[in-house]
Amino acid sequence: MSQIISAIRNNVKYWWLYLLNGIIFLIAGFIVFSNPFSSYVLLSIFFSVTLFVTGIFEIAFALGNRASHTGWGWSLASGIVDVVIGGILIGYPAISMAVLPLFLAFWFMFKGISLIGFSIQLQTEGIPNWGWLLIGGILLIIIAIVILDNPALGVAAILGLMATAFWATGILSIVFAFRLRHIKKELKA
């Protein structure tokens, strides 16, 4: 137990980094709304690089846990798709801006199917709260269909979702920072 408390003490001393991170995300959300075109250009670059790097991490996770994780194939397939799509978007930034809503829609579709498959795997193993992944997968598929139906709406949706995601991440990071600060004070006492 003392190792856990020691680990918490060591990690809690930098609680303010989460606060700073949250403030940066809140500012980024406002920038997206105030400069939509430049935000879309930067967003397409950010999205392609993030997608590529996330795919690499997902592949590493899947391969590293294939012996202990029965649903590792879903993570591997998802990581491969992320790397391929991210690589295409990095290689062709002008084209990626034009087709980003379609890529995003198909990526949401695949992620939704992946989440549904993973939730079914969790349900068969008797792991609680698997339904949240199922609901998330269904919502991603619905969003994908809406974007595929109207790609121009997809650009606005992308910017709106990104700003909202920045704000939500910022707020959650700030809340988490103050929670860590509270834990730090309790551990000192």
Side-chain angles (χ1 to χ4, degrees):
M1 185 62 101
S2 64
Q3 288 179 337
I4 293 172
I5 293 173
S6 175
I8 291 172
R9 278 191 186 129
N10 290 336
N11 291 325
V12 172
K13 64 182 167 185
Y14 298 112
W15 65 270
W16 55 271
L17 288 173
Y18 287 101
L19 177 65
L20 182 62
N21 188 37
I23 292 169
I24 291 170
F25 272 107
L26 288 176
I27 292 169
F30 286 111
I31 290 171
V32 168
F33 268 128
S34 62
N35 301 313
F37 179 73
S38 4
S39 296
Y40 189 68
V41 171
L42 290 173
L43 185 60
S44 67
I45 294 167
F46 176 77
F47 179 74
S48 58
V49 171
T50 301
L51 191 60
F52 186 81
V53 171
T54 301
I56 290 171
F57 288 149
E58 222 169 334
I59 290 170
F61 172 81
L63 294 176
N65 292 300
R66 68 178 177 263
S68 61
H69 180 52
T70 57
W72 72 274
W74 288 105
S75 294
L76 179 66
S78 178
I80 291 170
V81 168
D82 288 353
V83 166
V84 169
I85 291 175
I88 291 169
L89 293 175
I90 289 170
Y92 302 100
I95 295 172
S96 71
M97 285 177 47
V99 296
L100 184 60
L102 298 176
F103 276 127
L104 185 68
F106 284 116
W107 183 65
F108 278 171
M109 184 78 69
F110 183 80
K111 286 293 185 183
I113 292 168
S114 177
L115 280 176
I116 290 171
F118 192 60
S119 71
I120 291 169
Q121 181 70 31
L122 291 176
Q123 190 265 336
T124 57
E125 292 180 15
I127 296 175
N129 298 325
W130 60 270
W132 290 109
L133 286 178
L134 179 67
I135 291 169
I138 292 169
L139 287 175
L140 279 177
I141 291 172
I142 291 170
I143 291 170
I145 291 169
V146 169
I147 292 173
L148 286 172
D149 184 48
N150 188 356
L153 180 64
V155 173
I158 288 169
L159 291 171
L161 286 172
M162 186 53 69
T164 304
F166 281 155
W167 288 335
T169 303
I171 291 168
L172 291 173
S173 290
I174 290 169
V175 168
F176 185 61
F178 285 114
R179 183 66 188 135
L180 286 177
R181 182 174 157 232
H182 178 72
I183 290 171
K184 180 182 178 183
K185 286 181 180 181
E186 285 180 357
L187 288 174
K188 280 186 176 180

